[in-house]
Each structure stands twice: as structure tokens, then as C-alpha cells.
């Protein structure tokens, strides 16, 4: 066959497949044999083919309206934008008029053919154009967003710097997560990566006719090479694929916007690559049949063996991505088994010339890269829109394809027949088992063994001689107790009671109960009453039964129960053995010779109309799974992949599986240097032109980092000068204040500069230990110090100031140590009352504790009696004598800074919780978000450095859910101001917080995110005004973005200033309020 004939044959196959896809979409018919028959009967005329299928379907009894009609490939309808407007030229198809249906089909086909004649562009290519233009438009629109800090790159280039040899991410330039997922999966096929990087355009490119394919494919190949080279050698954490996307967009002309199905994009991408390599292959092998590396890598062949109207046939067909239906199957092998058999195939194996039609597929040649498309979308004809299938579908990490190979056809047929027979037997056994496990004739059914056990328990209960209603005294409280015999109510119940009215003293033992008490007594409290009244029978019982009757009945029931249990056990054992036999049917070595290892899983989260895409890709060198989510590339696990990919758990599930032949290691092997034998890595992989390209880009990035560092250095210098100026002014003010003989009433920082050398630099204490005058709100600290001094003076025989100081410090330390070791309720946190308690619980060094206590006793605001003055002077002198090598001042300041952070975080938490209790969720959210982050940082360095993370997480989550509820209610109102406000809440508050919940990956946070997304995705199927649809379509991709990249956020809220006493009181009040919530509620 010549090259021209080969090209014509490929074009003919593609044209036929396009017709099949159009016919399938218009009619909803999934039977390939029936579709091909319709095309043959109509000689390729689409209108006649549709009429043929319509008449054929009319003879089939109609199914229920709610039945979902599944299509194997939904093209442009799968991602119809919610905000798109319907054509004004509408034909009513809701009636029974067949002429309307025929006219609609004819108009659709005529429009499609007219567009192709005028532009030379197919509908599939126009669909690609629409998604690309939507991506570019979204990218441009993102530049005009008001809050660009949430969606733009970090201004700090160090945040965008690649760490070592970590994989490079791809920036989402506007609804292009599908591009990132597909490109990353292909890039990590090292053989494919080498082919793209080493591709060179045909030498005769200038002599070739400038047709559309060449004009489109060659520039795209160059941009793909540039993109791959950056992914290999860039110093950036992620790179921008906009130019490659622009090339795709410029290849077509369309003004409509529509989100694109990734499987169709992958088809077109591989087609373009195939065309580009075909030009190169034809040039390299003139006179020979060219070998296209893309075809050899991704395309295989299967043999279609079947019967059509009683006539047997065999056809060999080529395939690329193999489509599989998901609905109705539990694992990948079941999908494959169903895809390999179409129609009724009994006649294939019988000698009779039956009129039945059907076919089997048998792979004759599998590609090195085997890709399965999982069809998780089906078109609901009753509702007129596509819907996503969320069913669970399992797939293995190692897939053996032997059972589907043509060379194993006979043995596979035998095994399939054996499995079919076993499954029939299994169905019978399961039906019998169900009769034992769901026994009864009513709506409620129970296991038969339990029914017999309950009957035995009833019969053997102690007989009751009276009616269950006769023994209740209507004048007495439940349980037979009297008013005087009731237990004393709890404190909480007493507080809720009104004052008792009595003429005698309240403590009188003979005081009669009042009317109010008698009315309250009969109230039954099922949730607080922990046990049944003592005289109430535990279970119903027979009125009368003789010993002989009981003996016979117990014997029968016991024997029957044993028989039922044995039968149930035998059935379960048989079912388990059959399952095991089916599982091991293909486990012999002869059927494990074609292993394919899972290379990549492409995941979609969302609904049919909108969603987000990412990929899990196996790294064979690190032997772990990696998650590629736009700019974020992180290590993952098989467990996470299963959770996100199998489906059934959330709205996330796999839509594409990429397996590679495990016996062809060249697919993922690194390239070696021919001279040195060393593995080529990084820039060494690249050809000279791409090395230069990457080098220039890296130089630009290095220059950006240098400019940023220089800018930060200038800012730091300016801040340093400002701090020095402020410190000089403060020192001058302190010097002026110290010259006065009396203490000022204004707050002054605690000083330890009593009688220091003239050249000594005054040391200032941390802000939280600044001691105002005794009349201010830090008076309690001075009182504690003075109390310790008084106790020391009372207990100490030696009265020297130094001895009293040592004794007072020991007493104070002992007191604080007791606080640190005491098991306190959540509302009483001694860490807030004194820094030493915090230090002890977090095992601060002894020297830090000693210096901090000395600082406390050196406070000049102590009482001005001679004893306190002398102790204060000794403490200051001791501080001055501490040498730098004895106490590391950097470490000292670090510990005090940690405590400052703890207090600030506590203030942030208390403020947020208080606002949350007042239902001011918008303000509360920012406080709780930052409190959670600060608290997490503290807890990462020690268990006692922060507060209860679960409590903070609960209220942070509650705020987000409440705000989401409010915003959704505003959107549902339909009023423009309300809708704008609701979407503003989501865009400015809720959506930026979602990555914080996803990053920590706790189950309740993930469920909360899922609840919020489901609420908004539920609007997709509802009728609404066009402007609401447009707003929803613009908003949903932001909400469904699964990136865990923590982007720049709002500035931290301003914290109020609390004294220690006030902070402790507010903390105690709010913790007492929130801790009343049941633990299971959190």
C-alpha cells in the first residue's frame, strides 16, 4: 500500500468514526452493530440513517421516563455551559410529531455540513476551539478581578522557586486544569518526553504546501517542546503553558465558549502529534512505509469476530484510547468483559445458522501505552442534560491482559463459560441466603436465627400475671415512686426551679411538697434518666406457661436455631468459595504473561457541567505516587489515589486510566550518556536549542529573585533605621522619666537598670511583662510577688535581702509548679496567668526560668517598704551579674517571643469564638482562620504550646458552613443585590479558605468542603434566569478548584488589647460556653 493510500484509508476510518459519533449522539443508540447497519443501509446519508434508527426504536417498547439512556461518547453536549443561551430558531420536540423530529435532525446536519464546507473545520475541532477560547477569556478576565491576591502568583519569587529536582507544575491559565492533567501524564512517560524534546521539523518544511495541518501542528510542536524543556530544567516551581494553549486556540475560529471534555482533547492532541511525526517520518523514509512513533506508542489493533444477520465476519481495527462504560460494573475487568462482547454471541460458537447478531473483540496487538476512557457521563434524555455517574469502580495497579488476547481466545471462552455457570449458581445461593437473613412477610424483615432467638427469650422470661396497663398507678410518678421518694435534683435542675413557697423553714424535714413540686415530679426525662424504674419488667413476657410447654418449646426453638445457623454458615461458605474460584480463574501463569502497570490516573471532581481535573502519576524511581494538581506537585499514596479515583466516596472519580507495558522498561527508563554511561538529568537531557531557551528563562528568574532580594534588603534597612530612631527616642524618654523622684501614673516598662555601670546598655523586658503602676490592671503580678516575699520573711530565719530573695523565688516557683502540674478544666488555663507556667509545661531551660523569675522580683513597682526595696535591688544586681555565656539572650528572647505568640493567638481565638457565639460569622472567620494557623504552628513544636486544635477546627468549619448557607440563600433569592452579596461572600471569604481545609486533609474538613460544593453544584440542574446561570458558571470553577496551594490571603485582623486578668476572664467565659457542646458535635 502506498503512502497516499494509507493516508486515504486513515482519513476514511476517521470520517466513518465521526459519522458514528454523530449518529450515536443524535439518536442515543449505543449498539455499534446497529449504528453501522444504519450507515450501510443509508449509504452514509445521516438523515436516512437517523430515520432508519428512529423507526427501529419505535418498535421497541418504551422504557420508563426516568430511565437513563447511556451514550458511550458525549461530545459537545457533555460540558454545555449553564449560562449559554438557546438558539431563537427552536423546534418543539416535546410533542409526538415525527415531522418536527425529522426537521430538527435535518437542520442540525445541514448546519454542521454547511459549517464544514465553509470553514473546513469539523464540529470536534470547533468544540476544541470553544474550550480554548473560554480558557483564554478566563485568563484575561482573571486579570481584572478585584481581589487579585487570591488568584495571582505570589509576589515573592522565592515562593515560586523550584526545590531541588522536584517535578515542575503547570499554571492554570483559566479553566485549563484538563490541559495540565493530560500533559503531565504524557510528560512523565520518558519515551514520549524524549520524542517531543528531540523532535525537529521536516527539512523541506518551506517547500511543503502551507496547509492547515502544517500551519497548526508545527508551531504547536515547537511550543510543546519549549514547555517540556521548562518542565525539565526550569528553576521555577511551576511554568506557564499559555503559549501552547494560544497555539491551540489560534488553530480554530469560534466565538462560542464551552468547557471541553478531556478525552476529546486527548484524542485531538494525539492526532496532532501523529500528524506532526507523520510528516517527519515520511521525509526520513522516502520510498518505504513510514513508521510513526506516536502510532507505535499509543495505538493497537483488535480483531472483531461476529455474526451479522446470521453471517459470520472478521475485521481488524485500530484503536487508541479504548472506551469503557462504568455504569453497572464494579471493577475494570467487568468493564472490559462487557466491552469485548457486543450483542448476542451464542451463534458465534454454534453450528446453527442463527439470525442473531453480535460480535467479540480480541486484541491482536496492544500498544506500549494502553489508555482506557471511563465513560462517567450519560445523557439523561428525560431531563435533557448530561449527568455524571458517581458509582464506585475499582481498578488494579497491575493489569493482566492475557484473557483479552486473540491467541488465548479458546481458553478464555472456556473460562468465561465456567464463570457464567458459577455466577448462575452463585445467584441461586445468594437468593437462598437472603431468605434466611431477611425473614418475614411484612415490610420489616430480620435474620431467621435472631427471630428464633427472640422467641426463645420471650418464652423463657418470667411470667407476668397482670396486664401491662393495670399495674400503673395513675396518681404516682412513672416507675412507681412517690413525690417524697424522688432523689435530690441536680444543681442545674435546682437552678432552673422557681423559689419554693413554704410557711416553715426551708430545711425542715417534714416540709410538705408544694403544688409546683407535685406538677414537676411526673416529668420523664429519657435522656437524663440513666436506668429504668426498678419494678418495670425488662422485656414483655408470657402471661402463663407451664414447665412442660416451656421445655418442649425451648427444645424445638434451640434445634431450629442450630439448623438455621448451620444452613446459613454452609451457604456463606459456598458463596465465599465460588467468589474465590472466580477471582482465581485467571491466576495461573499462562494467563499472566501480558502485564500492564498503572502509570497515571486522571481524576475529575464535580458534576457533568463543571469540575476540576488533576492527575496521579507513579514515580518508579522514588517508588511512590505523585499528585499533579496544577501548580501543586506533592507526594501521595495509593490510599489517597483509591479514595479520590474509585468513586462512590465523593464527587471525585477517575475518568482516564493510563497503563504501560511492564515488559517494556524503555517507556520510563532514563537516558544514558553514550560516552560516560551516566544517567542524563536536568539540562543534559535537552538538545542545544532548548538548552539555550531554558537558560534564558532561568536567567530572567534569577534576575527577578535578585531584584526582590535587593528590594527586601532596602526595606529591612529602612525598618532598622526606624526602629533605631524609635529606640533612641524611648531611651531618652526613659532617662527623663528616671530623673523624677516619684513614680509616674502612666504605664512604664519594667526596668532592671538599678545601679548599672555607666556603660551598661539598659535591658528591656518583653511587652507582656511590662509592669504598669500598681493601680493598673497588672497589679495581680506585683501582689503575687509581694505575697511570696511576705511568706519568705515569715518562714526564713535569716533576714538578709539575698536570703529573702532566694526563699521568695523558691516559694513562687513552687506555687507556679503546682499550677503547671494541676489537671484543670478547659476554661481555667494557668498558662495565661503566668509565663512561668507556660515555660514549665513546655520544658524551657532552667536558666530561662531563673532569669524570668529574677525579672519579676526586680520590678520597681513593688511596694515601697524597705524590705521590698532591698529585695528589688538585690534582684537587679543579680541580673546585672549574669554573664552572656550563662544565659543565651537569643534563646531567652526566643522563648519570650513564643509566649507572646501564644497570648496573641489566644486573643485571636477568644475574639473569634465570641463573635461566632454572637452569629457574626463574617468577622469571626478571619480570627478563627488565623488562630487555627498560629495554633497549628505552635503545636508543631510542642503539645502544650497551643490550644485544642479540634475545637478551633470545629468552629472554623462551622463559620465556613454558616457563611456558605447564607450565601446560598442569597443566591436562591434571585435578587441582584442579594446574589452579588452572596457571591462576594463566597469569593472573598469561603473560596480562599477551602485550600486551608484541603491542606490539612481531616475527614470532617473534607466532608465540609464536599457539602459546600454539593450545595452549589445542585443548582446546575435547576431552571434559573440567564444572568444567574452566567454568574454560577463563572463561580463554580473557583469553588471546585482542588488545589491545596495556600495563596496569599487577607491581612491578619487587628487584635484588641487585653490585660492578663481581662484575658483570663474572657477566656474562661467563652471556653465555658463552647465546651458545653457535646464532644460528638465537634
Amino acid at each position: 500500500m502506498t503512502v497516499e493510500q494509507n493516508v486515504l484509508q486513515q482519513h476514511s476510518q476517521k470520517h466513518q468514526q465521526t459519522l458514528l459519533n454523530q449518529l450515536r449522539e443524535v439518536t442515543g443508540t449505543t449498539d455499534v452493530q446497529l449504528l453501522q447497519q444504519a450507515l450501510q443501509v443509508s449509504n452514509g446519508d445521516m438523515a436516512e440513517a437517523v430515520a432508519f434508527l428512529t423507526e427501529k426504536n419505535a418498535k421497541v417498547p418504551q422504557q420508563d421516563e426516568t430511565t437513563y439512556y447511556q451514550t458511550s461518547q458525549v461530545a459537545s453536549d457533555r460540558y454545555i455551559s449553564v449560562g449559554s443561551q438557546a438558539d431563537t430558531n427552536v423546534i418543539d420536540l416535546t410533542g409526538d410529531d415525527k415531522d418536527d423530529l425529522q426537521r430538527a435532525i435535518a437542520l442540525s446536519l445541514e448546519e454542521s455540513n454547511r459549517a464544514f464546507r465553509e470553514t473546513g473545520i469539523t464540529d470536534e475541532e470547533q468544540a476544541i476551539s470553544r474550550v480554548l477560547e473560554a480558557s483564554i477569556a478566563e485568563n484575561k478576565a482573571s486579570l481584572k478581578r478585584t481581589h487579585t491576591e487570591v488568584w495571582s502568583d505570589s509576589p515573592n519569587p522565592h515562593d515560586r522557586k523550584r526545590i531541588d529536582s522536584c517535578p515542575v507544575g503547570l499554571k492554570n491559565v483559566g479553566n485549563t486544569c484538563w490541559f495540565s492533567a493530560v500533559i503531565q501524564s504524557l510528560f512523565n512517560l520518558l519515551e514520549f518526553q524524549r520524542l517531543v524534546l528531540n523532535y525537529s521539523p521536516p527539512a523541506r518544511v518551506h517547500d511543503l504546501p502551507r496547509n492547515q495541518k502544517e500551519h497548526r501542528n508545527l508551531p504547536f510542536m515547537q511550543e510543546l517542546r519549549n514547555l517540556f524543556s521548562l518542565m525539565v530544567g526550569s528553576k521555577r516551581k511551576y511554568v506557564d503553558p499559555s503559549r501552547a494553549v494560544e497555539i491551540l486556540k489560534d488553530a480554530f475560529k469560534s466565538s462560542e465558549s464551552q468547557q471541553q471534555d478531556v478525552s476529546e482533547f486527548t484524542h485531538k492532541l494525539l492526532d496532532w502529534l501523529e500528524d506532526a511525526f507523520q510528516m517527519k517520518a515520511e521525509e526520513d523514509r522516502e520510498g518505504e512505509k513510514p513508521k510513526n512513533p506516536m502510532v507505535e506508542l499509543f495505538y493497537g489493533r483488535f480483531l472483531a469476530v461476529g455474526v451479522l444477520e446470521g453471517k459470520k465476519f472478521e475485521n481488524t481495527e485500530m484503536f487508541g484510547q479504548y472506551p469503557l462504560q462504568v455504569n453497572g460494573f464494579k471493577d475494570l475487568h467487568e468493564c472490559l468483559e462487557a466491552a469485548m462482547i457486543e450483542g448476542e454471541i451464542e451463534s458465534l460458537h454454534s453450528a446453527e445458522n442463527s439470525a442473531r447478531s453480535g460480535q467479540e473483540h480480541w486484541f491482536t496487538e496492544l500498544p506500549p501505552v494502553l489508555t482506557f476512557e471511563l465513560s462517567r457521563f450519560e445523557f439523561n434524555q428525560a431531563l435533557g442534560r448530561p449527568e455524571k455517574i458517581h458509582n464506585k469502580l475499582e481498578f488494579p495497579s497491575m493489569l493482566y491482559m492475557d484473557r483479552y488476547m486473540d491467541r488465548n481466545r479458546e481458553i478464555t471462552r472456556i473460562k468465561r463459560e465456567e464463570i457464567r455457570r458459577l455466577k448462575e449458581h452463585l445467584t441461586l445461593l445468594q437468593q437462598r441466603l437472603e431468605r434466611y437473613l431477611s425473614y418475614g412477610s411484612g415490610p420489616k424483615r430480620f435474620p431467621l436465627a435472631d427471630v428464633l432467638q427472640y422467641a426463645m427469650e420471650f418464652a423463657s422470661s418470667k411470667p407476668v400475671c397482670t396486664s401491662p396497663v393495670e399495674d400503673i398507678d395513675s396518681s404516682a410518678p412513672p416507675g412507681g415512686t412517690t413525690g417524697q421518694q424522688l432523689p435530690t435534683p441536680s444543681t442545674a435542675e435546682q437552678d432552673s426551679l422557681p423559689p419554693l413557697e413554704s410557711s416553715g423553714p426551708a430545711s425542715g424535714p417534714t416540709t410538705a411538697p408544694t403544688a409546683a413540686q407535685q406538677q414537676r415530679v411526673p416529668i420523664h426525662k429519657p435522656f437524663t434518666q440513666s436506668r429504668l424504674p426498678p419494678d418495670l419488667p425488662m422485656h414483655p413476657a408470657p402471661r402463663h406457661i407451664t414447665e412442660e410447654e416451656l421445655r418442649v418449646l425451648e427444645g424445638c426453638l434451640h434445634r431450629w436455631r442450630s439448623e438455621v445457623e448451620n444452613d446459613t454458615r454452609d451457604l456463606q461458605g459456598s458463596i465465599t468459595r465460588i467468589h474465590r474460584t472466580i477471582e482465581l480463574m485467571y491466576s495461573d501463569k499462562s494467563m499472566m504473561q501480558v502485564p500492564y502497570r498503572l502509570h497515571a490516573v486522571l481524576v475529575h471532581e464535580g458534576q457533568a457541567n463543571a469540575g476540576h481535573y488533576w492527575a496521579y502519576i507513579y514515580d518508579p524511581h522514588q517508588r511512590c505516587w505523585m499528585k499533579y494538581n496544577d501548580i501543586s506537585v506533592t507526594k501521595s499514596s495509593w490510599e489517597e489515589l483509591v479514595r479520590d479515583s474509585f468513586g462512590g466516596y465523593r464527587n471525585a472519580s477517575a475518568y482516564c486510566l493510563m497503563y504501560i507495558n511492564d515488559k517494556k522498561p524503555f517507556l520510563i527508563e532514563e537516558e544514558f550518556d553514550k560516552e560516560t554511561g551516566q544517567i542524563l538529568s536536568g539540562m543534559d537531557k535537552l538538545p542545544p536549542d532548548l538548552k539555550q531557551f531554558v537558560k534564558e528563562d532561568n536567567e530572567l528568574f534569577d534576575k527577578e529573585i535578585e531584584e526582590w532580594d535587593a528590594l527586601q534588603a532596602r526595606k529591612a534597612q529602612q525598618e532598622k533605621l526606624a526602629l533605631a530612631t524609635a529606640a533612641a527616642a524611648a531611651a531618652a524618654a526613659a532617662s527623663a522619666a528616671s530623673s523624677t523622684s516619684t513614680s509616674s501614673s502612666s504605664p512604664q516598662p519594667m526596668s532592671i537598670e538599678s545601679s548599672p555601670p555607666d556603660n551598661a546598655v539598659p535591658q528591656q523586658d518583653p511587652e507582656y511583662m511590662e509592669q504598669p503602676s500598681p493601680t493598673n490592671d497588672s497589679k495581680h503580678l506585683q501582689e503575687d510577688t509581694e505575697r511570696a516575699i511576705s511568706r519568705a520573711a515569715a518562714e526564713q530565719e535569716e533576714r538578709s535581702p539575698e536570703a529573702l530573695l532566694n526563699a521568695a523565688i523558691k516559694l513562687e516557683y513552687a506555687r507556679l509548679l503546682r499550677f503547671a502540674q494541676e489537671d484543670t478544666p478547659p476554661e481555667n488555663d494557668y498558662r495565661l496567668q503566668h509565663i512561668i507556667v507556660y515555660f514549665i509545661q513546655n520544658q524551657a531551660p532552667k536558666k530561662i526560668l531563673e532569669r524570668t523569675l529574677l525579672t519579676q522580683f526586680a520590678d520597681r513597682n513593688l511596694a515601697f517598704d524597705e524590705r521590698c526595696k532591698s529585695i528589688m535591688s538585690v534582684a537587679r544586681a543579680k541580673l546585672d551579674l549574669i554573664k552572656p555565656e550563662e544565659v543565651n539572650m537569643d534563646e531567652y528572647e526566643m522563648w519570650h517571643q513564643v509566649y507572646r505568640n501564644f497570648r496573641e493567638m489566644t486573643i485571636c481565638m477568644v475574639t473569634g469564638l465570641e463573635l461566632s457565639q454572637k452569629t457574626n460569622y463574617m468577622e469571626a472567620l478571619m480570627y478563627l482562620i488565623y488562630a487555627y494557623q498560629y495554633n497549628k504552628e505552635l503545636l508543631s513544636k510542642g503539645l502544650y504550646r497551643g490550644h485544642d486544635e479540634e475545637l478551633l477546627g470545629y468552629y472554623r468549619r462551622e463559620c465556613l458552613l454558616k457563611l456558605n448557607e447564607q450565601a446560598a440563600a442569597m443566591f436562591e433569592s434571585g435578587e441582584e443585590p442579594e446574589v452579588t452579596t452572596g457571591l462576594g461572600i463566597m469569593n472573598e471569604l469561603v473560596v480562599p479558605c477551602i485550600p486551608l481545609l484541603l491542606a490539612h486533609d481531616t475527614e470532617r474538613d473534607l466532608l465540609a468542603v464536599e457539602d459546600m460544593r454539593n450545595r452549589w453544584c445542585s443548582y446546575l440542574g435547576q431552571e434559573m434566569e440567564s444572568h444567574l446561570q452566567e454568574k454560577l458558571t463563572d463561580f463554580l470553577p473557583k469553588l471546585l478548584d482542588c488545589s491545596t496551594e495556600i495563596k496569599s490571603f487577607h491581612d491578619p485582623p487587628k487584635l484588641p488589647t487585653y490585660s492578663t486578668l481581662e484575658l483570663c476572664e474572657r477566656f474562661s467565659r467563652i471556653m465555658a460556653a463552647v465546651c458545653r457542646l457535646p464532644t460528638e458535635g465537634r
Side-chain angles (χ1 to χ4, degrees), residues 540-592:
R543 297 283 187 86
H544 177 74
I545 184 170
T546 66
E547 291 186 3
E548 180 64 22
E549 290 173 338
L550 180 61
R551 184 179 59 80
V552 173
L553 188 57
E554 281 186 341
C556 292
L557 290 173
H558 183 75
R559 185 178 70 253
W560 294 339
R561 183 167 178 265
S562 297
E563 292 171 357
V564 168
E565 288 179 342
N566 290 335
D567 291 347
T568 302
R569 198 158 38 245
D570 291 343
L571 286 169
Q572 290 172 335
S574 297
I575 290 172
T576 301
R577 286 192 296 273
I578 291 177
H579 276 303
R580 185 64 176 162
T581 302
I582 294 174
E583 289 175 4
L584 298 176
M585 187 65 69
Y586 294 99
S587 61
D588 52 293
K589 290 186 178 180
S590 64
M591 300 298 283
M592 299 175 70

Side-chain angles (χ1 to χ4, degrees), residues 10 28 99 121 127 149 166 200 258 321 332 348 353 405 412 419 484 495 528 559 588 610 655 759 768 887 920 927 947:
Q10 290 181 3
D99 292 338
I121 302 172
E149 71 277 6
C166 290
S200 58
Q258 182 178 9
Q321 294 173 279
L332 185 62
L348 291 175
N353 188 12
M405 301 302 294
T412 299
I419 289 175
Q484 291 82 351
D495 292 342
T528 57
R559 185 178 70 253
D588 52 293
Y655 69 88
N759 59 349
Y768 56 88
V887 177
N920 189 350
Y927 285 101
H947 293 294

Side-chain angles (χ1 to χ4, degrees), residues 413-423 581-582 585:
R413 282 176 175 171
I414 294 172
K415 288 181 179 291
R416 283 178 180 171
E417 179 60 27
E418 177 66 14
I419 289 175
R420 186 190 64 78
R421 186 186 63 79
L422 287 172
K423 286 186 175 180
T581 302
I582 294 174
M585 187 65 69

